[in-house]
Amino acid sequence: MAVEAVESRTSVPASASFGPAVALSCRECGERFPLGPSFACVGCFGPLEVAYELPVGDPESLRRRIEAGPANIWRYAPLLPVPADVADRPNLNPGFTKLVKADNLARELGVTGGLYVKDDSGNPTHSFKDRVVAIAVEAARAFGFTTLSCSSTGNLAGAVGAAAARAGLRSCVFIPHDLEAGKVVMAAVYGGELVGIEGTYDDVNRFCSELIGDPLGEGWGFVNVNLRPYYGEGSKTLAYEICEQLGWRLPDQIVVPVASGSQLTKIDKGLKELIALGLVEDRPYRIFGAQAEGCAPVSRAFKDGHEVVRPVKPDTIAKSLAIGNPADGPYVLDIARRTGGAVEDVDDERIVEAIRLLARTEGIFAETAGGVTVGVTRKLLEDGRLDPSLTTVVLNTGDGLKTLDAVAAGPTATIPPSLDAFRAAGL
């Protein structure tokens, strides 16, 4: 199908700049289309992603250029679908979060090769979603959208609300009606419209897809639907940062939470780009996906040896991962198998144990998704599928203050204000 056959109700201004991005490419058939607010191939209905002409040829110069950049994701602007002056525009400037060398946790788990936690709770709205939204906002500006929207399990709603407020755009976001209270407040406080939908995230996502095709959705940029190819590229910056923070080298093993699966697939894309650019040494790495047992369609497919991911109805405390029909599930399977990794899951009890373990050993209070990755890491080590002698990176994608209902905690003791009472308490 010819490039000209792509239809879009939104034209791309001639002045719009997408940096090194040159086209949208179908991940199934490879057909290329012009850059625009499109997310599915009109020929085979496969998902579209951004294709680039990256600055190959002088890795040392590129490395120096990156290192001289701002301490946020815009240091990687030469590798992203954004204009060169993106750092000067009003945005939340997420990224370059801490890579914590987790020696205390490593001792608990028996890891000898170096264990790191990439702690993305340090982003502006305290989750990795600020990265993907930052890229989507630039695409929305380029396409002339006036309203920023999304379907969300919570973190994305807050990230969209905050980014839209900063960019001077209207926001209207959609969430399942039963999200954690902390995430609801964070999504609502930025002054945009917040709409609860009766049903699961998958019901919310279907509704948003219908709204895009309706006149009511004219001028709306849905960051994870019609802007999804650009949105997804924000997750590559996790791969870039991890490698730069490791001294421009690949991790041997990385454990990534799986909701839609987009984050894991884009981390793999980012690692491959760094190899192709000569910024890191080309050597094997293994990627592991982590799911909650109560919503583990990709883990189940991996264990059963299937290529197709069968949808499930979510039932887990890890609501940020509660996507029963993950769009990128098949690609997660491909990457886990290609790299020699795996996709595993843990139950809610082990999620809570892992949240407490990470907090007790490293002072990091993770939300439930972080409990999933730490819990799966522990399980993989126990099963012998993670090599404890290799450098391992575990992702924490959000702040535990957003999921307080998952962990019961309180004062060790309540006493009168006297030394005798303190002695009597045995502390």
Side-chain angles (χ1 to χ4, degrees):
M1 181 167 295
V3 166
E4 290 75 17
V6 177
E7 296 182 2
S8 173
R9 293 184 295 168
T10 303
S11 61
V12 182
S15 60
S17 173
F18 294 90
V22 294
L24 295 179
S25 176
C26 177
R27 290 163 72 178
E28 289 296 322
C29 70
E31 186 66 71
R32 286 196 169 196
F33 306 103
L35 294 165
S38 306
F39 62 98
C41 176
V42 298
C44 71
F45 303 107
L48 300 180
E49 68 175 359
V50 179
Y52 297 90
E53 289 181 359
L54 292 174
V56 297
D58 188 356
E60 288 304 320
S61 175
L62 178 57
R63 188 181 290 117
R64 287 194 299 270
R65 180 180 175 186
I66 290 170
E67 291 173 345
N72 54 55
I73 63 170
W74 306 132
R75 68 199 285 115
Y76 307 109
L79 312 180
L80 297 170
V82 295
D85 65 348
V86 63
D88 298 325
R89 299 180 173 209
N91 57 67
L92 295 179
N93 298 326
F96 220 64
T97 54
K98 293 179 180 179
L99 183 68
V100 179
K101 193 169 190 299
D103 292 340
N104 296 329
L105 180 62
R107 281 191 292 271
E108 288 267 350
L109 300 181
V111 175
T112 58
L115 180 64
Y116 297 82
V117 175
K118 181 58 172 171
D119 185 14
D120 245 23
S121 66
N123 277 309
T125 69
H126 308 290
S127 89
F128 91 95
K129 291 295 187 181
D130 290 319
R131 297 174 181 271
V132 291
V133 171
I135 308 296
V137 165
E138 295 309 312
R141 283 175 169 146
F143 301 139
F145 288 131
T146 56
T147 297
L148 208 63
S149 186
C150 70
S151 52
S152 174
T153 57
N155 284 325
L156 182 57
V160 167
R166 175 71 176 137
L169 298 171
R170 175 186 178 233
S171 68
C172 182
V173 301
F174 301 89
I175 59 173
H177 69 286
D178 59 349
L179 282 187
E180 301 97 334
K183 291 180 180 176
V184 172
V185 171
M186 175 160 269
V189 74
Y190 300 108
E193 306 295 335
L194 176 66
V195 181
I197 300 291
E198 296 176 355
T200 66
Y201 170 81
D202 298 292
D203 297 317
V204 179
N205 202 39
R206 280 192 294 271
F207 168 79
C208 288
S209 296
E210 292 175 9
L211 183 55
I212 288 174
D214 189 274
L216 285 170
E218 187 73 33
W220 287 37
F222 288 81
V223 300
N224 54 345
V225 188
N226 60 350
L227 296 177
R228 188 175 182 84
Y230 311 93
Y231 158 96
E233 296 298 285
S235 289
K236 294 194 310 182
T237 61
L238 279 161
Y240 299 159
E241 288 178 20
I242 288 168
C243 291
E244 182 179 354
Q245 290 168 325
L246 286 174
W248 292 107
R249 63 185 178 92
L250 294 167
D252 298 311
Q253 304 171 138
I254 183 168
V255 185
V256 184
V258 174
S260 72
S262 175
Q263 183 185 66
L264 187 148
T265 64
K266 292 303 186 289
I267 286 175
D268 179 63
K269 182 180 181 181
L271 296 177
K272 290 193 293 184
E273 286 177 352
L274 293 181
I275 292 170
L277 290 165
L279 293 174
V280 297
E281 179 187 354
D282 185 2
R283 58 184 180 79
Y285 60 86
R286 303 167 73 198
I287 297 184
F288 296 82
Q291 293 202 293
E293 185 180 279
C295 186
V298 188
S299 174
R300 187 173 303 170
F302 182 87
K303 294 173 184 177
D304 292 343
H306 294 163
E307 303 295 330
V308 176
V309 177
R310 181 173 297 178
V312 301
K313 185 175 181 179
D315 182 18
T316 174
I317 61 171
K319 293 183 179 180
S320 61
L321 304 183
I323 297 180
N325 188 17
D328 281 21
Y331 303 106
V332 170
L333 294 174
D334 291 343
I335 291 167
R337 289 167 177 154
R338 171 174 59 79
T339 65
V343 187
E344 186 53 88
D345 57 85
V346 286
D347 62 26
D348 286 356
E349 182 178 354
R350 293 194 72 166
I351 293 171
V352 174
E353 290 175 357
I355 292 172
R356 291 181 177 278
L357 175 63
L358 182 60
R360 175 172 57 80
T361 56
E362 300 298 340
I364 298 172
F365 184 19
E367 71 162 43
T368 47
V372 170
T373 52
V374 174
V376 164
T377 299
R378 187 176 206 171
K379 187 174 184 179
L380 292 169
L381 286 164
E382 292 170 350
D383 294 346
R385 286 178 287 170
L386 265 179
D387 188 336
S389 69
L390 298 178
T391 301
T392 303
V393 176
V394 179
L395 267 61
N396 172 45
T397 52
D399 195 314
L401 292 175
K402 295 186 177 189
T403 56
L404 290 174
D405 291 348
V407 181
T412 304
T414 301
I415 62 172
S418 73
L419 289 174
D420 288 342
F422 182 70
R423 292 188 185 97
L427 302 173

